[in-house]
Amino acid sequence: MTGRIAFQGEPGAYSHQACTQARPGMEVVPCQTFEDVVELTRSGAVDLGMLAVENSTYGRVADVHSLLPRAGLHIVDEAFVRVHVNLLGVKGATLDQIAEAHGHVVILPQCAGFLRAHGIKGKVSSDNARAAREVAELGDPTRAALASELAAEIYGLDVVARHIEDQANNTTRFLVMSRSPDVSRRGAGKMMTTFTFRVRNIPAALYKALGGFATNGVNMTKLESYMVGGSFTATEFYADIEGHPEDDNVRLAFDELRYFTSAFNVLGVYPADPQRG
């Protein structure tokens, strides 16, 4: 596949790995922030954007969840990337030399047990691949980066310790974003639909709004709430369900949802990644 896909981070980031896994052949474009990924995609400077939304160990990426409803983009795919955390040091560095390990605030809790067991102090970096680049530039054997093997290759570092994550199933879910929706696909596997909604200010509105999914046999795999505009009384919900909006049971569930909501927006319709299970 040709074209360009943007991701947050520097070359060698796990988002870079997600791009090469989900869209091999596309030119990757690193961005400093998630907002930059959205803006490049929205403006047409790139064809697609790759956004990390949740990690099986750390939980949701809050910045992205709050950004999605106002991004003006559409989810066209999901990708689950097995996140192997590696301790990267300068050439010749040994594990007993390393005193500090630098990584993103999301990755540090994912290998806290290993760092504690080896007396290594975790230091926050804005990006894992940037940490790898800076460790390579400093040339200090007491400093290491927590990053991918791809980052080790790019920046010429040694993998001092491989796969040090505390959880054996450590996985990050990414969403592929596009300017245009694609609701035409009907693969052999499951389809996913992601949407946001706000309930009307009436008693038991959320219970009533969700009742249609239960009565119509629609499996909801995610439901999260967010405050809107800093108000404790205005709440927006983000949800993932199995199914396509044109499926009879999903259509009926959405009809009931709309009756009890003041806002409803479909963010994307896309095939379920086989790794979802």
Side-chain angles (χ1 to χ4, degrees), residues 215-250:
T215 56
N216 289 286
V218 178
N219 185 30
M220 181 171 288
T221 61
K222 176 175 286 295
L223 178 65
E224 297 190 356
S225 62
Y226 310 89
M227 288 191 300
V228 178
S231 170
F232 286 100
T233 58
T235 302
E236 186 166 49
F237 294 88
Y238 170 102
D240 292 336
I241 60 167
E242 293 179 354
H244 191 288
E246 295 175 0
D247 294 342
D248 287 341
N249 62 336
V250 175

Side-chain angles (χ1 to χ4, degrees), residues 71-86:
L73 299 174
H74 305 271
I75 305 167
V76 293
D77 265 315
E78 65 176 354
F80 288 82
V81 173
R82 179 69 175 84
V83 177
H84 289 300
V85 183
N86 305 282

Side-chain angles (χ1 to χ4, degrees), residues 3-262:
R4 308 175 80 215
I5 182 168
F7 67 94
Q8 185 276 325
E10 298 196 17
Y14 291 103
S15 294
H16 182 177
Q17 181 181 331
C19 291
T20 59
Q21 175 180 311
R23 290 296 189 275
M26 291 191 78
E27 177 188 351
V28 293
V29 179
C31 297
Q32 186 173 358
T33 66
F34 293 124
E35 287 81 0
D36 292 338
V37 173
V38 168
E39 184 53 39
L40 285 183
T41 308
R42 191 162 48 199
S43 70
V46 299
D47 301 282
L48 299 172
M50 181 70 73
L51 296 175
V53 289
E54 57 191 327
N55 174 266
S56 59
T57 303
Y58 178 81
R60 74 184 188 189
V61 182
D63 290 348
V64 171
H65 277 80
S66 62
L67 182 62
L68 282 175
R70 55 186 174 85
L73 299 174
H74 305 271
I75 305 167
V76 293
D77 265 315
E78 65 176 354
F80 288 82
V81 173
R82 179 69 175 84
V83 177
H84 289 300
V85 183
N86 305 282
L87 188 69
L88 310 182
V90 298
K91 291 294 183 181
T94 59
L95 182 57
D96 59 353
Q97 287 180 295
I98 294 173
E100 293 182 359
H102 297 248
H104 192 273
V105 65
V106 170
I107 207 171
L108 289 170
Q110 298 175 28
C111 54
F114 177 91
L115 298 181
R116 186 167 52 250
H118 291 87
I120 300 172
K121 186 173 183 179
K123 292 283 189 176
V124 174
S125 175
S126 60
D127 180 72
N128 300 312
R130 177 178 181 176
R133 175 175 60 80
E134 291 176 342
V135 165
E137 291 172 350
L138 287 170
D140 183 349
T142 69
R143 296 189 182 185
L146 301 168
S148 66
E149 292 187 59
L150 177 61
E153 295 173 10
I154 291 172
Y155 300 109
L157 296 172
D158 281 350
V159 180
V160 179
R162 185 174 273 104
H163 301 181
I164 64 171
E165 60 273 12
D166 296 334
Q167 300 295 328
N169 64 340
N170 191 31
T171 302
T172 296
R173 179 185 180 219
F174 292 85
L175 298 177
V176 181
M177 311 299 296
S178 173
R179 289 183 299 282
S180 303
D182 184 357
V183 297
S184 62
R185 289 171 296 175
R186 287 282 194 165
K190 292 182 292 189
M191 294 296 293
M192 302 295 300
T193 299
T194 296
F195 57 96
T196 59
F197 64 95
R198 297 183 197 176
V199 294
R200 293 164 54 195
N201 189 21
I202 59 175
L206 180 60
Y207 173 80
K208 294 174 182 177
L210 298 181
F213 296 96
T215 56
N216 289 286
V218 178
N219 185 30
M220 181 171 288
T221 61
K222 176 175 286 295
L223 178 65
E224 297 190 356
S225 62
Y226 310 89
M227 288 191 300
V228 178
S231 170
F232 286 100
T233 58
T235 302
E236 186 166 49
F237 294 88
Y238 170 102
D240 292 336
I241 60 167
E242 293 179 354
H244 191 288
E246 295 175 0
D247 294 342
D248 287 341
N249 62 336
V250 175
R251 178 176 51 79
L252 290 170
F254 278 174
D255 286 345
E256 193 162 341
L257 176 72
R258 288 187 182 95
Y259 185 79
F260 294 104
T261 57
S262 59

